[in-house]
Amino acid sequence: MTLQEVWIRLSAVRRLDAGRAEGIIRTLFCHGQYRPSELSSCGLTAEQIEDFRNINQQWLSASLNWLEGDNRHLVTFDSVLYPPLLAQIPSPPLILFVEGTPDLLLSPQIAMVGSRHYTHYGEQYAQVFAAGLVHSGFTVTSGLAMGIDGISHKATLEAHGKTIAVLGSGLMKRYPSRHSMLADSIIEHGGALVSEHLVTAPPIAANFPRRNRIISGLSAGVVVVEATLRSGSLITARYALEQGREVFALPGPLGSQTSEGTHWLIQQGAYLVTEPNDIAEHIGSGLTWFPNIRVSESLKVPRGKPLKASEAIICAQECEVELPFADVLANVEYEVTSVDVVAERAGQPVPEVVGKLLELELAGWIAAVSGGYVRIKRASHVRRTNVLI
């Protein structure tokens, strides 16, 4: 029996803490005996011995064979690659299957989570915060789920950053399957896929809340972008608090169900954040300056030496900003606003407003969505007009 197999078998043993498991593995592997009597002498109960011996043999063999492939790793609790922050949580996983770059587990991480059923507002600010965290030197960690998780992973890659996806299934059973190409892209760009489960383990519903403890455990803090009051993101936030991690929440529009969870977190004491630099300064990274980030392909790492967060000017200089058609822009909300509503508020003919909206879209101030337009850039620092924006 190889050392990898012993670790994998022990990971299937219930009610066995990581510290005790290390001692058991040393004893068993040194003796080279795995009979029930040997296991019992190590302090395992009869039930735990059954867990060790009766692990699903097909899953075990598949996992050992999988580990022989390129870029595939088993990070055990005693490994130098095991993340110190994760080792501190109340119930750390004994093993982590990793596909991609295992060293990334040791990098400073911020988790980004949110609702599967997101709004354009949530999508927009997930992109802004993911890109901002990349520019501040953080790895973005999430769960590869539909919605905010997937958006955060994609935005991180677009910003030329590194991201870790923690799965609630085995790495050969990626879930959701429609994010399989995203998972490949994460690996190709120096990121990592992580799971505590045997590689052929299916996506069982009970695994996902437990998976969330790893997402928060790897990270210095958790950002909740959007969440309903029943969202699984609140489970991640709860784990983060239990683990002594920071919890950050984005405020959203009043009356929006997808912001009820974040507003509740803020009421409970989570840090309200309105820009990525809020997180960088609170965590104390002091790594970089955030430029005035766009939510498109223009999410690029800024050139030149970055400033410390405490010295940063968070938006572009006023003389560099062009604000066209302020009277029209002032009437486009951060929620979907129809062309007719904009025209009515601005007191201008619809054909004229359509032309101005197109120019505002090309300039990056708004985005066309189903049903109208939404604002995607703040302009409160511009003094070219007396229109309140």
Side-chain angles (χ1 to χ4, degrees):
M1 193 177 293
T2 65
L3 185 57
Q4 280 188 334
E5 182 176 343
V6 178
W7 273 106
I8 292 172
R9 284 181 176 273
L10 266 187
S11 73
V13 174
R14 289 166 287 184
R15 293 182 294 280
L16 179 65
D17 69 71
R20 213 175 127 222
E22 276 192 280
I24 291 172
I25 283 180
R26 281 195 297 269
T27 301
L28 290 175
F29 198 69
C30 286
H31 293 169
Q33 299 291 330
Y34 306 98
R35 295 187 299 267
S37 58
E38 295 287 338
L39 296 170
S40 180
S41 67
C42 289
L44 295 182
T45 66
E47 184 183 28
Q48 290 174 325
I49 291 170
E50 285 295 305
D51 290 339
F52 182 90
R53 292 173 60 84
N54 295 336
I55 189 172
N56 187 309
Q57 193 61 46
Q58 288 184 329
W59 290 11
L60 174 62
S61 297
S63 295
L64 291 170
N65 290 336
W66 181 87
L67 286 167
E68 294 177 4
D70 293 336
N71 223 15
R72 295 169 178 178
H73 314 271
L74 183 71
V75 177
T76 58
F77 189 75
D78 66 344
S79 168
V80 294
L81 292 175
Y82 197 94
L85 280 179
L86 186 61
Q88 296 170 10
I89 72 172
S91 181
L94 269 186
I95 60 173
L96 294 171
F97 289 93
V98 180
E99 187 171 6
T101 307
D103 296 13
L104 199 60
L105 296 175
L106 303 176
S107 64
Q109 299 169 48
I110 296 292
M112 288 188 62
V113 297
S115 177
R116 286 172 170 79
H117 305 290
Y118 60 92
T119 66
H120 183 84
Y121 172 91
E123 178 182 26
Q124 168 195 338
Y125 282 101
Q127 291 174 319
V128 168
F129 272 75
L133 291 171
V134 167
H135 291 305
S136 191
F138 289 106
T139 296
V140 174
T141 299
S142 197
L144 200 68
M146 300 301 297
I148 298 299
D149 286 23
I151 292 166
S152 300
H153 288 304
K154 290 174 186 175
T156 300
L157 296 178
E158 288 177 15
H160 309 294
K162 300 291 191 294
T163 182
I164 294 173
V166 183
L167 278 64
S169 59
L171 295 184
M172 289 179 65
K173 300 286 185 179
R174 296 173 181 175
Y175 182 85
S177 57
R178 69 181 70 178
H179 273 173
S180 187
M181 289 182 64
L182 173 58
D184 288 338
S185 185
I186 289 171
I187 296 169
E188 289 167 8
H189 289 85
L193 307 182
V194 176
S195 176
E196 66 177 320
H197 303 288
L198 299 184
V199 297
T200 51
I204 298 170
N207 290 344
F208 290 90
R210 291 279 294 165
R211 175 274 308 269
N212 293 350
R213 86 190 193 284
I214 300 177
I215 294 175
S216 57
L218 286 168
S219 308
V222 173
V223 184
V224 184
V225 178
E226 268 192 324
T228 65
L229 288 172
R230 297 179 61 85
S231 171
S233 304
L234 300 189
I235 297 174
T236 310
R238 188 195 74 205
Y239 276 126
L241 291 172
E242 291 173 355
Q243 295 163 358
R245 307 296 193 259
E246 304 289 5
V247 177
F248 305 95
L250 273 67
L254 295 178
S256 171
Q257 284 191 335
T258 54
S259 292
E260 288 177 353
T262 54
H263 290 165
W264 181 82
L265 286 172
I266 292 167
Q267 289 173 329
Q268 303 306 307
Y271 293 99
L272 184 156
V273 289
T274 59
E275 54 194 17
N277 202 59
D278 293 342
I279 298 168
E281 289 187 342
H282 187 85
I283 294 294
S285 67
L287 292 178
T288 72
W289 166 71
F290 294 108
N292 201 11
I293 298 167
R294 295 276 298 277
V295 191
S296 63
E297 69 279 353
S298 61
L299 299 176
K300 305 292 184 182
V301 178
R303 295 180 180 178
K305 184 179 178 179
L307 300 175
K308 290 184 178 180
S310 59
E311 302 168 345
I313 299 172
I314 306 304
C315 56
Q317 297 297 314
E318 293 178 9
C319 60
E320 298 174 354
V321 176
E322 190 71 27
L323 179 59
F325 309 123
D327 53 344
V328 173
L329 179 59
N331 294 297
V332 181
E333 305 290 346
Y334 288 98
E335 293 291 291
V336 179
T337 314
S338 70
V339 175
D340 289 340
V341 169
V342 176
E344 182 180 352
R345 290 175 177 175
Q348 299 177 26
V350 170
E352 184 178 331
V353 166
V354 168
K356 292 180 178 180
L357 289 171
L358 178 58
E359 290 201 37
L360 286 166
E361 182 184 4
L362 293 173
W365 292 96
I366 62 175
V369 296
S370 177
Y373 288 85
V374 293
R375 181 93 66 86
I376 62 173
K377 185 189 289 187
R378 296 185 183 275
S380 57
H381 59 287
V382 177
R383 292 199 296 258
R384 295 188 64 229
T385 175
N386 59 4
V387 177
L388 179 61
I389 300 177

